[in-house]
Amino acid sequence: MYTFGVHEHINAVLKEHQVDVAGEDNSFYTRFLADTSAIFELYLQLYEHHPAAEQLFNDVIVTIIKAYQQRSAVLKQRDQSKLQQEHWFLSNKINGMSLYVDRFCGNLQNMQTKLDYFEELGVNFLHLMPVFESPANESDGGYAVSNFRKVDERFGTLEDLQQLQEEMRRRDMYLMLDIVLNHTSHKHEWAEKAKQGIKQYQDYFYFYSDRSLPDQYDKTMPEIFPESSPGNFTYIEECNKWVMTVFHHYQWDLNYTNPLVFIEMLDTIFFYANLGVDILRIDAPAFIWKQLGTTCQNLPQAHALLRLIKQCVQVATPGMAILGEAIVAPKEIMKYFGTDNYTARECDFAYNATHMALQWDMLATGDTKVMLAAQEELLKKPYGTSWITYTRCHDDIGLGYDDSMIEQAGYNAYAHRKFLKDYYSGVHPGSTAIGALFSSNPKTGDARISGSLASLCGLEKALNEKDETAIDLSIQKILLMQAHSFFLGGVPMLFYGDEVGYTNDYTYLQDEGKSYDNRWMHRPLIDWKKNKKTEKKGTVEQIIFDSTKKLLSIRKQVHAVADHSNIVWLTPHNVHVAGYIRQKNGQRLFCVFNFSNSSSFLTWFAFKEKGGAPSVLYDHWSGKKYETGADHEFFVLPPYGFALLEG
Ligand code: GLC
C-alpha cells in the first residue's frame, strides 16, 4: 500500500505543520525519526489491509504533531527534565494513592485542600479514579465514559482539574488518570449515533444483526461479570442489533480493527497527556483486540496496539509514562512490558496483581511456598519498567496465578482456591476476615474476593467483638501487608481509606447504581471526623496512619528500594517467612515478613548465605540494632511481625 519512503513523507508533513526541525523542535524531530520505523511497522501490523490505511496513517502523523504543538511550554520542559533522569518513575521517592474524588472529599476543588494531608502521609502521586462524564447509575465507578473530554459535573469542571494539576505540580506531586480504552458508555455520542443506525458509528463497535456470530464468540470468551452481566453481547432495541459488551451491558466494546477508532482514542490520550498526566492508566488493555475462536484477551494485536500507543507517546509527550492495567496470569503479564524488539517498549508499568493476590494467599495460609513458586516468572520483568505494588485497590482480588504454582507448593489447586475463597468470605471456621465473593461463576466455579484491607485482615470482626488483642493483631496484619508491598520494588499504590483502617461500607446496598456490584463495599465514603482521629494518640486510625507514614518515609530514605530490578529472594529457611533483599550501590536492605500467627525463627545464616555477611543489622522499622549471631542461632519475628534490616 505504501510505496514512498515513510521518513520522507513525515518530513514533508512536519514542514507543512511548520515544525522547526533545526531549531526549538529539534528534540521532538529526533525522537520522531528514531521511532518512525517502529510506528510504521506497528501500524502496518494492525491496519495494512484496511482500504484507507495509507490516508489514515497520515492522520496518525498529524495527530502526533498536533499533540506536540499543543503541549504547553511547562510540560515540554518537564518532559526534558524527566528524559534527563534515567527512567524517572523507578525512583523510591514516589508513593501513590488511588481514590475516588467524590467519595474522598466531594469534588476536585476540595481536593486542593487535601494536598497537605497527602504530603503529611508521604504520598506524592495521586491516581484519581475516572472523573470524566459517566451516566449516573450506569457508570461502573466512572469506567463507562460518555464523554472523554468533559469532567463529570459531580466532580467539577475541566478548569478545576487543571488547577488541581497545577497545584500538584507546584508541590512536585505526580498525577495519574485513566483512559478507558476498551469501551465507551452506551450514552457516548458514538454509541447514540450507532443506535440511530448510522453505519459509520456502528463500525466503531462490534455490531451484529443476529446471534450467529455472538454465539460463536461466546463459546470461547470468558464472562467478566457473570452475575450482573452474563454473556458478552447486548441486544440494542433501537437498531435491532447485538453489540459486544464484555463488561457491563452498558459498556460497549470499541472496535480497534477500525483505524478511525485508534486515531480518535490516540487523540484522547494526547488530550490527557497535555492536561499534565504523569502516568496514564490504560484501563483493561488485555481486552482491546477481539478475534473469533479465542478468549479475546491478551491477543498479539492488543500488544501491537499498546506498542503503537507507547511509541506515539514517546515522540509527542515523552514525560507521560504508561501503565497497562492488565490483571492477567503471570506469564501473560510479562508480555505487557514488551517482548523481542519491543522489550521495555510497551507499558512502562503493570500492576503486580499476581503478587498482590499471593500476599493474600500467604496471609490466609501462613505459608510462603505458592508465592515463591511464582517469583521465577515475576523476576523476568525487564529493566526500565516497573510495577505498581499494592495490597488493595478499587477492584476485587482475583486468584489468577497458575494452578501449577499451587501444585508446585504441594497443594491441590481446586482445594487451595476453595480454602482462600472460604477464608476471605468469612465462611471458613477460624477465619477473622469479613469479605464477600465477587462474580461467582457457577459454570466454572471461579470467584474473586471483595472486601477492604482492614476487614479482610480481621479489623471489622475484632471491632465488632470489642476484642483488643484481636484489634492489635489485625493492625499488625494490615501493616505487614502494606510493608511487604511497599518494599518489593515498584511504586506502592495505597487505596484511600486504608491509611486509616476503613472497614467495609455496606451502604452501597441501598444504592440502585451500586447494589449489584459488591466491590462497592471496599470503596468507602470518607468521613473526615474519623480521619481526624489520626491526631489522637492510641486510636486505631492514629496507629495505622502513623505507621503507614513511617513505612513510606523509610521507603523514601533507602535508595536501594528504587526499582532497579534489584530484588533477590531469601532461601525459604522458614516457610512462614517471606524474605527479600533489595540492594544497590553498596546499600542492602533485608526485608523479612512473618505470615504466621506464631513467632517465626530464622537462622542468622539466612542473612549471610547470599554473600557479604553483615555483622550488624539495623531495623529501620523498630529502630533496633542487631549483631548477627552464629549460623545456627535465630532472629525471631513475632506473629505477623516484620523487619526492614539494613546491613
Ligand atoms: C478495569 C477497572 C474496573 C472496571 C473494568 C471495566 O478493570 O479497574 O473497575 O470494572 O476495567 O472498565
Side-chain angles (χ1 to χ4, degrees):
M1 60 151 244
Y2 205 66
T3 45
F4 59 96
V6 65
H7 279 93
E8 203 177 333
H9 178 63
I10 285 176
N11 272 318
V13 185
L14 287 165
K15 200 163 176 195
E16 205 178 292
H17 286 82
Q18 290 159 11
V19 175
D20 186 2
V21 296
E24 60 167 351
D25 302 325
N26 183 258
S27 56
F28 165 67
Y29 179 58
T30 310
R31 291 196 301 274
F32 214 154
L33 291 192
D35 271 334
T36 293
S37 314
I39 292 174
F40 188 50
E41 175 187 299
L42 292 162
Y43 178 84
L44 286 187
Q45 272 178 34
L46 295 167
Y47 300 119
E48 189 171 17
H49 302 296
H50 191 277
E54 183 172 331
Q55 175 219 326
L56 292 174
F57 183 67
N58 192 59
D59 291 359
V60 174
I61 296 168
V62 172
T63 305
I64 296 173
I65 295 173
K66 285 197 172 148
Y68 168 76
Q69 289 181 325
Q70 283 159 9
R71 196 154 177 79
S72 70
V74 177
L75 290 177
K76 283 181 182 162
Q77 220 168 22
R78 201 158 145 110
D79 287 341
Q80 287 307 328
S81 95
K82 283 179 178 166
L83 288 170
Q84 273 153 23
Q85 302 162 42
E86 197 200 336
H87 305 300
W88 62 274
F89 49 80
L90 301 184
S91 163
N92 56 310
K93 298 202 167 32
I94 308 177
N95 293 324
M97 183 184 277
S98 183
L99 59 90
Y100 291 97
V101 171
D102 53 346
R103 300 180 81 73
F104 188 73
C105 63
N107 59 37
L108 286 162
Q109 280 190 2
N110 294 348
M111 273 299 291
Q112 290 213 31
T113 65
K114 298 296 176 205
L115 297 181
D116 291 345
Y117 178 81
F118 300 117
E119 282 187 337
E120 165 156 32
L121 179 61
V123 161
N124 58 354
F125 167 44
L126 296 181
H127 170 209
L128 306 185
M129 303 289 294
V131 291
F132 290 93
E133 194 182 78
S134 180
N137 296 343
E138 286 180 331
S139 87
D140 187 19
Y143 287 101
V145 183
S146 50
N147 187 334
F148 288 108
R149 300 185 188 209
K150 179 169 181 270
V151 167
D152 198 295
E153 280 169 12
R154 276 177 302 171
F155 303 110
T157 62
L158 193 62
E159 289 70 51
D160 295 337
L161 179 59
Q162 275 162 326
Q163 276 168 17
L164 174 66
Q165 192 277 334
E166 277 160 26
E167 182 54 27
M168 284 175 63
R169 199 174 57 223
R170 263 194 291 282
R171 295 179 185 229
D172 280 329
M173 295 176 89
Y174 298 101
L175 173 67
M176 176 153 94
L177 293 183
D178 283 85
I179 172 98
V180 187
L181 203 66
N182 181 66
H183 43 258
T184 70
S185 154
H186 68 143
K187 296 277 171 68
H188 189 283
E189 187 193 341
W190 303 335
E192 296 290 6
K193 288 185 174 157
K195 282 183 215 164
Q196 290 161 21
I198 306 177
K199 166 119 179 38
Q200 185 197 343
Y201 289 98
Q202 292 190 344
D203 288 347
Y204 273 39
F205 302 96
Y206 292 91
F207 263 96
Y208 302 96
S209 19
D210 60 42
R211 281 285 323 180
S212 55
L213 276 167
D215 283 344
Q216 286 185 50
Y217 270 109
D218 268 341
K219 280 191 193 138
T220 52
M221 286 173 86
E223 291 169 294
I224 306 303
F225 298 133
E227 288 167 316
S228 56
S229 272
N232 288 289
F233 295 86
T234 301
Y235 177 66
I236 307 302
E237 219 178 297
E238 289 93 326
C239 58
N240 186 24
K241 285 192 175 180
W242 292 84
V243 72
M244 188 186 282
T245 54
V246 169
F247 291 89
H248 291 101
H249 61 87
Y250 51 78
Q251 289 164 307
W252 291 16
D253 287 63
L254 284 166
N255 183 350
Y256 283 93
T257 63
N258 179 352
L260 285 171
V261 172
F262 166 68
I263 294 165
E264 295 265 22
M265 293 307 276
L266 181 66
D267 199 43
T268 308
I269 287 172
F270 286 138
F271 175 74
Y272 295 161
N274 284 342
L275 286 177
V277 168
D278 295 287
I279 302 181
L280 183 74
R281 179 185 184 276
I282 298 190
D283 184 61
F287 298 85
I288 53 181
W289 199 276
K290 278 74 176 186
Q291 196 173 299
L292 198 62
T294 71
T295 58
C296 297
Q297 290 181 32
N298 304 311
L299 295 178
Q301 296 91 330
H303 288 286
L305 198 57
L306 290 171
R307 289 168 187 187
L308 181 54
I309 290 171
K310 172 68 191 162
Q311 311 315 307
C312 296
V313 166
Q314 187 61 32
V315 171
T317 60
M320 184 172 77
I322 296 208
L323 159 64
E325 185 256 345
I327 310 297
V328 297
K331 263 204 168 53
E332 291 298 335
I333 194 65
M334 285 306 146
K335 299 182 191 159
Y336 287 83
F337 294 117
T339 51
D340 306 318
N341 290 345
Y342 290 92
T343 303
R345 293 173 71 198
E346 192 172 318
C347 296
D348 303 295
F349 281 99
Y351 283 94
N352 201 341
T354 297
H355 201 91
M356 179 276 297
L358 288 165
Q359 286 190 218
W360 290 104
D361 184 312
M362 291 192 283
L363 191 74
T365 60
D367 182 333
T368 60
K369 291 202 294 292
V370 183
M371 182 278 291
L372 285 169
Q375 296 310 319
E376 193 190 341
E377 205 54 58
L378 297 179
L379 288 175
K380 290 182 187 156
K381 177 176 72 61
Y383 182 82
T385 61
S386 197
W387 296 114
I388 294 290
T389 63
Y390 63 120
T391 54
R392 285 305 286 115
C393 69
H394 69 289
D395 279 331
D396 46 284
I397 303 170
L399 307 170
Y401 37 93
D402 302 348
D403 282 356
S404 63
M405 292 164 182
I406 303 177
E407 279 150 17
Q408 206 176 312
Y411 299 114
N412 170 285
Y414 175 80
H416 188 78
R417 285 182 206 280
K418 177 161 184 343
F419 164 73
L420 294 173
K421 287 180 277 183
D422 287 352
Y423 186 91
Y424 287 115
S425 55
V427 169
H428 189 269
S431 162
T432 58
I434 302 186
L437 295 185
F438 173 69
S439 275
S440 297
N441 189 336
K443 286 176 253 170
T444 59
D446 286 344
R448 284 116 71 183
I449 295 153
S450 281
S452 74
L453 172 66
S455 293
L456 295 178
C457 285
L459 184 60
E460 184 174 337
K461 188 164 189 280
L463 288 171
N464 288 345
E465 293 170 2
K466 300 195 172 51
D467 178 341
E468 290 297 329
T469 317
I471 293 176
D472 290 349
L473 205 62
S474 67
I475 294 179
Q476 194 52 48
K477 286 187 192 172
I478 291 171
L479 299 176
L480 170 85
M481 293 290 276
Q482 295 290 50
H484 185 87
S485 79
F486 287 1
F487 291 88
L488 194 63
V491 170
M493 183 67 83
L494 282 97
F495 187 58
Y496 80 109
D498 288 347
E499 79 284 11
V500 282
Y502 271 77
T503 53
N504 293 338
D505 177 346
Y506 301 102
T507 56
Y508 79 98
L509 290 165
Q510 268 74 61
D511 182 334
E512 63 160 310
K514 300 189 171 77
S515 56
Y516 60 89
D517 185 341
N518 71 19
R519 289 177 297 175
W520 286 100
M521 77 168 60
H522 56 251
R523 300 168 177 177
L525 201 54
I526 294 302
D527 165 7
W528 285 93
K529 275 202 227 105
K530 177 179 164 68
N531 287 43
K532 200 87 180 124
K533 290 193 196 156
T534 52
E535 290 165 15
K536 188 154 178 251
K537 212 164 166 35
T539 59
V540 167
E541 291 79 4
Q542 178 266 324
I543 299 170
I544 300 179
F545 185 86
D546 284 350
S547 307
T548 308
K549 176 174 163 178
K550 183 168 167 187
L551 287 171
L552 294 175
S553 109
I554 299 172
R555 224 189 91 79
K556 286 191 181 175
Q557 286 155 36
V558 182
H559 65 79
V561 179
D563 187 13
H564 291 283
S565 300
N566 52 338
I567 181 166
V568 174
W569 285 89
L570 289 185
T571 314
H573 292 270
N574 181 327
V575 291
H576 308 299
V577 178
Y580 51 79
I581 312 175
R582 306 297 317 282
Q583 53 190 347
K584 175 92 180 145
N585 298 340
Q587 187 178 50
R588 189 167 46 159
L589 194 72
F590 293 86
C591 307
V592 285
F593 306 88
N594 179 16
F595 280 89
S596 163
N597 57 4
S598 316
S599 294
S600 281
F601 294 69
L602 207 55
T603 61
W604 287 108
F605 178 64
F607 298 95
K608 303 177 190 170
E609 69 179 326
K610 302 279 178 189
S615 53
V616 177
L617 286 167
Y618 170 70
D619 183 6
H620 283 270
W621 176 239
S622 66
K624 287 189 196 146
K625 251 195 185 136
Y626 298 90
E627 312 244 328
T628 46
D631 289 359
H632 63 282
E633 290 172 350
F634 297 100
F635 176 73
V636 186
L637 281 163
Y640 302 112
F642 62 90
L644 305 167
L645 301 153
E646 185 172 348

